Amino acid sequence: QQPVQSPQAVILREGEDAVINCSSSKALYSVHWYRQKHGEAPVFLMILLKGGEQKGHEKISASFNEKKQQSSLYLTASQLSYSGTYFCGTVYSGGGADGLTFGKGTHLIIQP
Amino acid sequence: NAGVTQTPKFRVLKTGQSMTLLCAQDMNHEYMYWYRQDPGMGLRLIHYSVGEGTTAKGEVPDGYNVSRLKKQNFLLGLESAAPSQTSVYFCATTQSSYEQYFGPGTRLTVT
């Protein structure tokens, strides 16, 4: 069962902040975040593990709320290079060797 | 290092034809995956392999078969292509079931 991402799309001005949410109806073991540029392959951003702490990568960070089975991706002071489609991928049992279940994606457009 | 490569990059098939997509990795990873990506649907797992000689079904396996005879290669086969299989196909690999490394994709059109 696919996780639900929100919003479906967002348009920002350069320098503004954005939050992308990923919710699951099933208990999560981990959440992965990927970014995909048009015509390219998805690229890994970060992973949030159950019981783990908030992760960060420069101005992109994420959190994992185990009680709500939800993860949020935070993009601070967005740059033009942040444009793309963001996907969360979920793992429902330990390990994750059996692949990820991806949400439908959030389209992010950053305007100058 | 090439990382993860996919062959071919583009292909047009007629309904009923067969083809094989090849994924090759030089990262010595144990786990390999085939996903398909359709507009508005995200990526969906077709089949996966946790090691040489092993394969398992993912979320949308119907109409596809796979083989992993060598650790570095994962083949995806379409025995009788259908228009519903028009999609972009991505292969991915990982060693520790953490970060997945994706290939560049194969764009397949079935007419």
Side-chain angles (χ1 to χ4, degrees), chain A residues 1-2 29-30 32 34 36 39-44 47 49 87 91 95-105, chain B residues 31 33 35 37 40-45 48-50 58-59 90 94 96-105 107:
Chain A
Q1 193 169 9
Q2 282 185 295
Y29 175 80
S30 65
H32 300 220
Y34 287 79
Q36 185 179 31
E40 299 180 4
V43 174
F44 176 80
I47 180 174
L49 297 173
F87 294 97
V91 176
D98 53 353
L100 300 173
T101 303
F102 285 94
K104 294 183 179 182
Chain B
Y31 309 142
Y33 309 89
Y35 294 93
Q37 185 172 35
M41 293 298 296
L43 294 107
R44 293 180 291 171
L45 183 64
Y48 65 97
S49 169
V50 298
E59 180 186 355
F90 286 102
T94 185
S96 60
S97 70
Y98 284 85
E99 175 178 357
Q100 290 197 6
Y101 296 84
F102 283 82
R107 186 173 297 273

